[in-house]
Amino acid sequence: MAAQFSDSRVVTAPGETSLVQPATDSRHRVLFKIAIQVQQEAGGWQLIQDSMTVIRAKERMFGILVYSPGGMKHMLTSAELAEFGPPKPGCFWLTFSDTP
């Protein structure tokens, strides 16, 4: 996985963890991008997340990259599954925060 949080960049191998302390703007926002290395003849990277989040003072945010063979189907409602069909397998960036 490769990630960029504001100006901080990191590449993390499967099963490893990285600690990043990115700078936030005046509104406590962090722009971030998450990419995964894809299996192709030439190799390469696939961007899976390009977004912004708010990290308030004294708050920790955790991000976990998960490969789900079921496409995180358990997170969808029966109405969503009926409308959109079953999700494809893939990598998903999940975040949560807490206060130390």
Side-chain angles (χ1 to χ4, degrees):
M1 172 189 89
Q4 179 174 339
F5 305 95
S6 298
D7 292 333
S8 301
R9 293 181 180 177
V10 64
V11 176
T12 304
E16 291 185 354
T17 61
S18 295
L19 177 64
V20 179
Q21 294 181 307
T24 59
D25 67 11
S26 62
R27 295 170 65 186
H28 305 289
R29 298 176 301 185
V30 173
L31 298 174
F32 69 94
K33 296 179 181 183
I34 307 296
I36 57 170
Q37 199 163 21
V38 294
Q39 300 295 326
Q40 297 175 346
E41 287 183 21
W45 293 90
Q46 176 185 356
L47 186 66
I48 64 166
Q49 187 84 35
D50 185 358
S51 190
M52 177 182 67
T53 192
V54 174
I55 303 177
R56 292 176 177 82
K58 298 183 181 179
E59 180 180 60
R60 295 184 299 197
M61 181 160 290
F62 297 88
I64 301 172
L65 181 69
V66 175
Y67 174 77
S68 173
M72 302 294 279
K73 180 179 178 180
H74 65 281
M75 296 185 72
L76 301 176
T77 66
S78 56
E80 289 171 323
L81 289 170
E83 183 175 348
F84 303 114
K88 296 179 181 176
C91 291
F92 300 86
W93 177 247
L94 308 176
T95 61
F96 62 94
S97 62
D98 76 349
T99 303

